[in-house]
């Protein structure tokens, strides 16, 4: 299935003759619309088909009503042990906002200045003057300095046992771990003796809550599905904000997920992610892998 406007999946039609799940009348092949319900795929006359979308959001209590902090990065590629973080952002449900543009050093400045990507099509964001690290005239700061401050803020939040929201956590947190070690800085595993937890990965949550939904599971598409604004896909600040709002939307739409305690939510995601990646034996572990940093090399062509 391909995507339609706004990243939503296009309508899917029935390939075979069927009966309308609403009125019971015949629906010739190609004339109806498919919807996935609790009992599997169902066929409807177009005028009877329910509007596709997530369940209505409830007002139930849950972890989504607590203080959340979202992290996102943009890097030189998608190789956590090799690629370097070019920019990063934190967004909090309490209005917290921090942004960094990192100076990767002369070895990368002389390399091909391709736009860094965490998700396809991402770009280097402009500097935000609210960043706690003062930027130079080009908007970048030494990587070690920025990474240490970023890790300190993340560790302080996790140390309070509140959820850290990270879209595709294995990539983001594994890259952050390698970068901290590369710069001789204490990784999160050393800053948090009790463990790097609790983490909330909205990608894992959405795949678990709505596992049969067709279409892309990119942040752009999932944000569109839940009606979450995502103005600048690929920019860490916009991606972090969208990730936070998607996490809240999933919890508001699926009470059983919202009612999990923060430690249990973290534990369940380990199991859900393992199931989701069971056919990918080389998938990074969740929520991250303690990778040994490798020397920089340009990404392979093609």
């Amino acid at each position: 299935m391909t995507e339609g406007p706004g990243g939503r999946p296009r309508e899917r039609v029935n390939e075979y003759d069927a009966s309308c799940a609403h009125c019971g009348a015949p629906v010739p092949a190609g004339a109806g619309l498919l919807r996935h319900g609790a009992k599997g795929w169902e066929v409807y006359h177009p005028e009877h088909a329910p509007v596709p979308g997530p369940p209505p959001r409830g007002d139930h209590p849950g972890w989504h009503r607590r203080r959340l902090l979202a992290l996102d990065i943009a890097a030189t590629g998608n190789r956590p042990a090799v690629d370097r973080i070019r920019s990063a952002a934190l967004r909090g449900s309490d209005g917290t906002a921090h942004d960094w543009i990192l100076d990767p050093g002369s070895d990368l400045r002389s390399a091909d200045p391709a736009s860094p990507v965490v998700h396809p099509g991402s770009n280097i964001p402009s500097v935000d003057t609210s960043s706690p690290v003062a930027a130079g005239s080009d908007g970048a700061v030494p990587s070690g300095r920025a990474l240490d401050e970023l890790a300190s803020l993340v560790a302080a939040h996790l140390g309070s046992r509140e959820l850290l929201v990270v879209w595709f956590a294995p990539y983001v947190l594994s890259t952050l771990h390698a970068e901290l070690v590369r710069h001789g800085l204490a990784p999160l595993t050393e800053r948090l003796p009790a463990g790097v937890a609790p983490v909330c990965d909205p990608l894992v949550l959405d795949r678990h809550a709505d596992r049969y939904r067709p279409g892309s599971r990119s942040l752009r598409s999932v944000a569109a599905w839940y009606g979450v604004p995502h103005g600048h896909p690929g920019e860490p600040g916009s991606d972090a904000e969208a990730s936070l709002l998607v996490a809240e939307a999933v919890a508001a739409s699926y009470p059983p997920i919202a009612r999990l305690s923060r430690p249990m939510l973290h534990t369940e995601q380990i199991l859900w992610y393992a199931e989701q990646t069971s056919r990918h034996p080389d998938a990074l572990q969740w929520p991250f892998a303690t990778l040994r940093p490798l020397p920089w090399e340009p990404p392979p062509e093609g």
Side-chain angles (χ1 to χ4, degrees):
M1 176 175 290
T2 58
E3 290 183 5
R8 285 182 173 273
R10 296 185 186 279
E11 295 285 18
R12 195 168 187 172
V13 300
N14 57 314
E15 297 182 10
Y16 306 99
D17 294 342
S19 298
C20 178
H22 175 77
C23 67
V27 183
L33 297 179
L34 286 174
R35 292 288 185 268
H36 196 282
K39 299 180 180 180
W41 290 103
E42 297 176 324
V43 178
Y44 294 84
H45 289 113
E47 64 272 19
H48 295 159
V51 177
R57 300 187 191 184
D59 59 359
H60 48 272
W63 52 261
H64 59 301
R65 297 185 178 276
R66 299 181 63 91
R67 180 167 56 91
L68 304 176
L69 183 69
L71 163 68
D72 200 84
I73 64 171
T76 55
N78 58 5
R79 304 162 298 173
V82 175
D83 285 296
R84 312 299 171 81
I85 296 175
R86 287 282 184 89
S87 52
L90 292 173
R91 293 291 184 271
S93 57
D94 59 357
T96 298
H98 299 306
D99 297 83
W100 297 265
I101 295 180
L102 284 64
D103 181 351
S106 58
D107 57 336
L108 268 72
R109 280 200 300 267
S110 61
D112 180 12
S115 296
V117 292
V118 173
H119 313 293
S122 62
N123 298 303
I124 300 176
S126 57
V127 68
D128 185 333
T129 55
S130 67
S131 171
V133 177
S137 59
D138 62 352
V141 296
S143 289
R145 181 179 167 198
L147 289 166
D148 189 49
E149 186 163 74
L150 169 62
S152 296
L153 291 171
V154 168
H157 179 79
L158 287 174
S160 67
R161 312 311 296 169
E162 298 293 350
L163 284 164
L164 177 71
V165 177
V166 191
W167 178 270
F168 194 17
Y171 168 76
V172 174
L173 295 181
S174 298
T175 303
L176 177 59
H177 177 88
E179 278 281 64
L180 289 168
V181 174
R182 177 178 289 115
H183 287 83
L185 301 169
L188 294 178
T189 50
E190 294 181 11
R191 299 172 192 245
L192 294 160
V196 183
V199 174
C200 170
D201 189 334
L203 176 58
V204 174
L205 298 190
D206 178 62
R207 282 175 168 168
H208 174 75
D210 196 0
R211 66 180 63 191
Y212 299 113
R213 187 175 78 245
S216 169
R217 295 293 176 125
S218 68
L219 177 56
R220 175 177 176 269
S221 297
V222 175
W225 177 256
Y226 288 98
V228 166
H230 190 197
H232 302 283
E235 292 187 2
S238 180
D239 287 352
E241 180 70 21
S243 299
L244 190 153
L245 294 176
V246 167
E248 293 177 333
V250 173
S253 300
Y254 297 95
I257 291 178
R259 295 188 179 118
L260 292 171
S261 68
R262 285 159 287 155
M264 184 57 70
L265 179 69
H266 183 99
T267 300
E268 289 292 330
Q269 286 173 100
I270 296 174
L271 302 176
W272 297 340
Y273 177 81
E275 179 184 4
Q276 294 163 9
T277 59
S278 60
R279 296 184 180 181
H280 303 278
D282 57 344
L284 292 168
Q285 66 190 81
W286 193 94
F288 71 101
T290 54
L291 301 177
R292 178 176 60 87
L294 299 175
W296 160 257
E297 59 181 31
E301 296 184 1

